[in-house]
Amino acid sequence: MNQHSDAALLDLGKKSIIHDPRDGDARKITLTRARGSYVWDDAGRRYLDCTSQAWSNSLGANDPRVIDAAIAQMREITHARPNFNTHALLTLTAKLTSITPGDLNRIGYCLHGSLAVEMAMKLAFKNRPGAQNIIVMQDAYHGRSVTTMAASWPHPNNPFLPISPRFIRVPHPDAYRPRMGMALEQEVALCLSLLEDTITKGVDGGVAAIMVEPIMGNGGHIVHPKSFHQGLRDICDKHGIILIWDEIQSCFGRTGAMFAADYYGVIPDIMTFGKGIGGGFPLAGIFASDRLTGFDAGEDALTFGQFPVAMAAAIATVDAIIADGLCDNARRLGDYATQRLVEMSQRRRLIGDVRGPGLFVSVELVRDQTTKEPSPRAASEVYRRGVEKGVLFGEARYAGLGNLIKVKPPLDCTQEDMSLALDVLDEVLGSIEADGAY
Ligand SMILES: Cc1ncc(COP(=O)(O)O)c(C=O)c1O
């Protein structure tokens, strides 16, 4: 054992972590190694990682090109406060402006998605002085800082509510669970009309921004049709409101397009990014329209916000995503996965719905395909039995339903590995149905 793996020390470490590891939680597994689509635990067991570690190892874990770039950067300079430039910062910024959609040519950086969302909201308030509200969607998830928790779905017993800023949650369409059995386009029209009522009659103090995830990730993988996003764009233009897309989960290839804005063909005014861009290193930020006024000195500066090592890793990651054609791979593999899952849903009554696009893949598990009663227990069982069979599935435990299983391996996952994951899912769903453990 080396100095980092002394058993007593590790035990003390586990007991001293302030965050509660829930039963069956992935944090009970101590990871020691990761390569591509696989991770290993401290007992040497190998797992196929369909979570990409919170959908962040888009390129596959520890890609040698990223590690080499990070090491080379570390030899030169590891830290620079934000009022200095570094070559990594300038090169990454120039590279990103060549692939961002529309006029989203101004970039701000930080290390976490939650802070990127805060930066986006701050920029919106700066550009709409006097406006006091941000409109968000009812099943949104935007992070875990005090402010972004308030911007997300109602957190059970949110103890930080008294110190939350003003967010107005509005309804959004849901193709699988439409209100009053409405057709999707009818529900889109209803939600857009309620949104306009909210803007004109439902808030005191003006609306600075409407913030939306293009595909609602943690709030239940709800995929909106283009008509909803186009409608939000039109309403923002009509009322002079800034449209923020939170692309922290969907950016850099996850949907099979470089950005969800490319997938939908709708361009927001501000777009957040995070997760997959850093190749496993922490990096997030915003892309903003040329039309917006940027921050003045001191308005938005974080000590480690422009971490050169993460930026060097991000340059290598973006280069590799393009060179390896990983958007195409995500699309092709995602199509393969969703087709197999649709076929599986005809045999496995627990599967209520199959979602994409690209490698934004998930299934909703239900006790009954007709009533669509959610089965959070089946989702927990899939996770637990998957671990036993060497596959880590993503699991949604959000306040609404908690019944989603996500199959979101790295974008460079092979068809063989995807096939293995789906075989295991099929098998564990079969065993859960046989046991009645739902
Ligand atoms: C859409 C979205 N926004 C923001 C966040 C928060 O990012 P982070 O956990 O890096 O703070 C997440 C994380 O899951 C997310 O999915």
Side-chain angles (χ1 to χ4, degrees):
M1 281 205 176
N2 66 29
Q3 55 169 338
H4 295 306
S5 56
D6 177 277
L9 207 64
L10 295 181
D11 210 36
L12 178 62
K14 275 183 198 163
K15 286 189 192 122
S16 306
I17 290 171
I18 201 165
H19 299 87
D20 174 27
R22 289 165 300 187
D23 219 16
D25 192 286
R27 275 187 293 118
K28 293 228 161 161
I29 299 174
T30 299
L31 296 179
T32 54
R33 189 164 174 262
R35 292 287 180 283
S37 299
Y38 285 89
V39 294
W40 284 259
D41 70 12
D42 52 355
R45 286 201 64 195
R46 190 177 84 141
Y47 305 87
L48 176 53
D49 186 8
C50 293
T51 75
S52 309
Q53 296 305 303
W55 349 114
S56 307
N57 285 332
S58 293
L59 193 51
N62 291 53
D63 186 286
R65 292 165 290 186
V66 174
I67 301 301
D68 287 350
I71 290 172
Q73 180 63 50
M74 277 190 264
R75 291 213 170 90
E76 300 303 324
I77 178 167
T78 53
H79 172 55
R81 63 184 299 202
N83 43 349
F84 290 87
N85 282 330
T86 60
H87 282 176
L89 168 74
L90 299 177
T91 308
L92 177 63
T93 305
K95 196 173 276 289
L96 291 179
T97 55
S98 69
I99 56 168
T100 49
D103 66 348
L104 300 177
N105 293 320
R106 316 244 356 247
I107 308 183
Y109 297 100
C110 56
L111 295 186
H112 293 276
S114 305
L115 283 180
V117 173
E118 298 224 4
M119 196 192 300
M121 294 190 291
K122 223 199 258 184
L123 193 66
F125 282 125
K126 164 136 192 163
N127 279 270
R128 293 294 178 270
Q132 294 174 18
N133 298 279
I134 301 231
I135 291 183
V136 291
M137 303 297 127
Q138 288 179 347
D139 293 289
Y141 179 81
H142 297 293
R144 293 264 189 234
S145 64
V146 171
T147 309
T148 56
M149 264 177 89
S152 303
W153 34 260
H155 191 277
N157 314 319
N158 183 354
F160 311 112
L161 212 51
I163 36 176
S164 296
R166 291 167 77 170
F167 291 102
I168 317 289
R169 294 192 187 99
V170 294
H172 55 88
D174 182 343
Y176 183 57
R177 298 174 186 280
R179 287 173 181 78
M180 299 162 72
M182 282 179 179
L184 182 58
E185 287 307 324
Q186 207 183 0
E187 204 192 9
V188 167
L190 173 70
C191 291
L192 292 173
S193 149
L194 290 173
L195 169 64
E196 248 192 309
D197 280 354
T198 305
I199 293 165
T200 52
K201 300 186 241 175
V203 300
D204 292 319
V207 177
I210 295 174
M211 181 159 69
V212 63
E213 296 155 87
I215 296 169
M216 307 188 73
N218 291 2
H221 268 212
I222 298 167
V223 186
H224 293 133
K226 176 172 176 170
S227 54
F228 183 63
H229 286 303
Q230 189 58 57
L232 293 181
R233 176 69 276 175
D234 295 343
I235 287 173
C236 283
D237 290 342
K238 181 171 160 195
H239 294 275
I241 292 170
I242 289 172
L243 180 61
I244 302 174
W245 272 25
D246 184 352
E247 282 232 30
I248 282 160
Q249 268 204 43
S250 54
C251 63
F252 294 101
R254 178 59 58 189
T255 63
M258 189 58 91
F259 300 101
D262 298 319
Y263 174 76
Y264 280 108
V266 175
I267 316 278
D269 302 303
I270 303 176
M271 189 166 107
T272 65
F273 62 88
K275 295 204 185 270
I277 185 186
F281 288 82
L283 187 63
I286 63 166
F287 301 124
S289 161
D290 286 331
R291 287 169 285 109
L292 297 180
T293 305
F295 292 116
D296 287 321
E299 283 181 346
D300 192 81
L302 300 164
T303 304
F304 289 105
Q306 298 179 354
F307 183 36
V309 180
M311 299 207 161
I315 295 168
T317 302
V318 174
D319 282 348
I321 288 175
I322 295 169
D324 295 356
L326 293 188
C327 292
D328 288 345
N329 198 53
R331 209 164 38 239
R332 193 184 49 75
L333 205 59
D335 285 349
Y336 165 75
T338 46
Q339 273 162 28
R340 269 201 59 187
L341 287 165
V342 167
E343 176 272 319
M344 211 183 284
S345 70
Q346 278 141 31
R347 291 181 287 106
R348 299 287 176 221
R349 61 181 186 276
L350 281 172
I351 298 181
D353 197 30
V354 176
R355 313 258 167 84
L359 280 176
F360 217 107
V361 176
S362 64
V363 289
E364 247 203 52
L365 300 184
V366 291
R367 291 174 58 81
D368 182 307
Q369 286 180 333
T370 312
T371 65
K372 303 182 183 177
E373 184 189 341
S375 180
R377 183 170 172 215
S380 292
E381 281 300 306
V382 167
Y383 174 75
R384 198 180 60 76
R385 295 180 196 205
V387 168
E388 282 169 13
K389 296 193 174 300
V391 178
L392 300 179
F393 292 109
E395 197 192 344
R397 291 197 173 116
Y398 87 108
L401 304 170
N403 66 335
L404 210 73
I405 285 295
K406 306 180 190 178
V407 188
K408 297 162 80 174
L411 309 185
D412 64 354
C413 180
T414 60
Q415 181 154 332
E416 201 184 351
D417 282 338
M418 177 58 91
S419 174
L420 172 73
L422 297 175
D423 288 346
V424 168
L425 182 60
D426 198 359
E427 194 185 330
V428 298
L429 284 173
S431 69
I432 293 166
E433 284 179 1
D435 296 355
Y438 56 93

